[in-house]
Amino acid sequence: MPNTASPSGTLFAIKRYALHDGPDLRVTIFFKGCPLSCHWCHNPEGIDGGLRILSLPAKCVGCGECALACPQNALSQGSGGMQRNPALCTACGTCAEICPALAHEAVGRQWSVSEVMSEIEKELPFFAGTRGGVTFSGGEPLAQPEFLERMLIACGHLGLHRAVDTCGFASAETVRRIARHADLFLFDLKHMDPVSHRLVTGVDNALILSNLTLLAQSGAQIQLRLPLIPGINDNADNIGRTGRFAASLPGVRDIDVLPYHSAARSKYAKLGLPYPGDHIPPSDPQSVNRAVSLLQNCGLSVRIGG
Ligand code: SF4
Ligand code: SF4
């Protein structure tokens, strides 16, 4: 039985008109908090489950209000605008509240189910007659299972298509519970070798692979995705293992290859975090084409991009 209390969820963004998060036009709900820490993560603001502060010194007009108000003395005026010392900052949010130039931004807040549904309902006219709907992404939506389940049920009452974009790292019980209400899983396969998987994501892949198998055997709709990360998982051995495993799953006949790019670098800078993908070059067309061929050789239909 679903919990009848009304849990709230921590989100860091709601994106409208999303075109790459499932069929047709989507509203994508970004859950905050993820059990993985992938070197190539494009949403670093979603990794930890708490409030984060983004600082944009170029917007600073030099009034000095935030530095006076900061309880941690974490702010100081630099040549390029107000600088935040992440080692001192406790993410209290005071600077974001008072800055007249929006040079500090608080990322993440608690939302109730009804608040999120109000945002989704604004988009209902765009979904009519399409396979469009709502995608729950992150961060990791399975890390907030009560809130996710309530959101899926509420969207189901409106007849909306519901996709869950997941890394698959959750208990089997959570996966079964969520699968009852989801129309599609967008499921990332990051690395087939457990040691390498742990090295680049922080966790072993055994639970992820068993959850993926569980979903496939239960008849869930799954869109597999392979983020292709140069020097990490784009070697022929890993691509072959990925393809053979994917092709062995009941109902899975296709996979999306997602070439790596470093567009998220500026987000890390705003968060005051080092960019963990510094050592990763962009995907080159040859390695993308090679991955596509290897996956096709396993009998999979392959699409580049999501
Ligand atoms: S409050 Fe905003 S505009 Fe004023 S010094 Fe701080 S960052 Fe700059
Ligand atoms: S969020 Fe950080 S920098 Fe901003 S006022 Fe709080 S402690 Fe200071």
Side-chain angles (χ1 to χ4, degrees):
M1 285 285 289
N3 187 355
T4 51
S6 188
S8 61
T10 309
L11 307 179
F12 68 87
I14 296 177
K15 180 179 166 191
R16 295 174 176 78
Y17 317 120
L19 290 169
H20 302 288
D21 296 334
D24 294 339
L25 201 60
R26 321 289 301 176
V27 175
T28 303
I29 313 295
F30 290 91
F31 284 50
K32 199 155 172 13
C34 181
L36 274 60
S37 48
C38 305
H39 288 194
W40 55 90
C41 180
H42 284 176
N43 291 324
E45 69 274 48
I47 294 176
D48 75 64
L51 189 72
R52 273 271 178 188
I53 303 295
L54 283 175
S55 292
L56 308 156
K59 286 190 173 181
C60 172
V61 295
C63 71
E65 291 296 324
C66 60
L68 286 175
C70 175
Q72 304 299 325
N73 290 322
L75 293 163
S76 57
Q77 194 65 252
S79 56
M82 189 58 75
Q83 305 292 324
R84 184 172 52 87
N85 183 342
L88 296 177
C89 173
T90 57
C92 69
T94 303
C95 54
E97 280 168 26
I98 66 168
C99 175
L102 307 180
H104 304 290
E105 184 187 331
V107 181
R109 77 164 174 91
Q110 292 290 114
W111 290 74
S112 68
V113 172
S114 59
E115 281 178 309
V116 184
M117 290 309 298
S118 297
E119 295 300 312
I120 291 170
E121 284 168 11
K122 292 175 189 167
E123 310 305 314
L124 290 182
F126 297 105
F127 299 144
T130 77
R131 293 185 307 150
V134 183
T135 298
F136 299 93
S137 184
E140 174 50 59
L142 295 183
Q144 300 183 58
E146 287 80 19
F147 183 67
L148 175 60
E149 183 180 44
R150 291 295 295 261
M151 286 302 313
L152 288 165
I153 291 170
C155 289
H157 287 152
L158 294 179
L160 294 172
H161 183 274
R162 301 156 296 178
V164 175
D165 178 4
T166 182
C167 70
F169 193 84
S171 71
E173 182 198 348
T174 291
V175 171
R176 278 195 206 93
R177 175 176 165 190
I178 295 304
R180 286 199 284 272
H181 310 289
D183 301 302
L184 174 69
F185 283 89
L186 307 172
F187 202 115
D188 280 6
L189 267 182
K190 300 171 197 292
H191 209 299
M192 294 303 293
D193 177 70
V195 175
S196 300
H197 194 282
R198 181 180 287 279
L199 202 63
V200 296
T201 71
V203 303
D204 190 274
N205 63 0
L207 182 61
I208 291 168
L209 299 181
S210 73
N211 280 334
L212 178 54
T213 304
L214 181 161
L215 279 176
Q217 289 176 343
S218 70
Q221 290 292 305
I222 300 168
Q223 179 60 55
L224 279 184
R225 303 193 304 183
L226 169 62
L228 195 66
I229 315 299
I232 290 182
N233 67 359
D234 65 342
N235 60 79
D237 176 63
N238 184 60
I239 301 293
R241 287 172 72 181
T242 303
R244 288 190 294 279
F245 178 72
S248 75
L249 296 168
V252 172
R253 289 294 164 264
D254 50 20
I255 188 166
D256 291 343
V257 169
L258 311 177
Y260 170 76
H261 56 75
S262 59
R265 182 186 296 272
S266 61
K267 284 192 188 178
Y268 285 84
K270 288 175 194 168
L271 288 163
L273 297 172
Y275 181 56
D278 245 344
H279 60 293
I280 307 174
S283 292
D284 65 79
Q286 290 83 359
S287 62
V288 174
N289 290 337
R290 184 181 64 164
V292 169
S293 296
L294 289 166
L295 293 166
Q296 287 172 333
N297 289 345
C298 297
L300 295 166
S301 168
V302 186
R303 191 171 57 160
I304 299 175

